[in-house]
Amino acid sequence: MPGSEDDEVDLLITAWADRLPDVDFSPLDVMSRLRRVAHKLTGLRRNAFQSAGLSVWEFDVLAALRRSDPPHEMSPAELVHATMIGSAAMSNRLENLAVRGLVARKGNPRDGRSNLASLTAEGAERVDSAMIALVESEATELQSLSRQEQTQLVALLRKLATDSGA
């Protein structure tokens, strides 16, 4: 862009272009920046969740419960689907969250062979606090973009995320 200084990605691409002059590095121009933004987002998320006394995995499970309709309860199978982790890992996570008092477990009245995990008041308080901290830190990160630029970026990222590549 005119008037902008070279950043790390520009320097990386320039170095590679010197070594491989016949290669078009424009995909690297986009994807390397996305990787750096993703790395930054990982740190923002970790800090926001830690501020509420949660780890990333705890937030993911509690957030899935919080997003569900009241009384904010789901079966382990529903949580596996919502969080995209394995059932053995989910069982372990639910047990740890129950020990911490962030979820309660009870029998499933619709299926006597399974149970339900429900969000406790403390679990709801913590996940809400973490979400507010995350939104605030993300808003700070996005201050350099206008609302219009943010809208354009959302549309582009949505397209990139859903494009089949064909």
Side-chain angles (χ1 to χ4, degrees), residues 59-60 62-70 72 74 82-83 119 131:
F59 175 84
D60 288 344
L62 296 175
L65 287 167
R66 184 69 167 124
R67 290 188 311 265
S68 69
D69 291 334
H72 307 295
M74 299 171 77
T83 60
L119 194 59
M131 180 53 78

Side-chain angles (χ1 to χ4, degrees), residues 14 16 20 26 48-50 81 128 154:
T14 299
W16 275 109
L20 302 169
S26 57
F49 303 157
Q50 283 177 350
H81 180 74
D128 288 356
V154 167

Side-chain angles (χ1 to χ4, degrees), residues 71 73 75 105-117:
E73 61 185 21
S75 71
R105 298 176 86 177
K106 66 178 186 178
N108 187 342
R110 297 181 304 269
D111 179 0
R113 298 167 297 171
S114 71
N115 59 52
L116 295 172

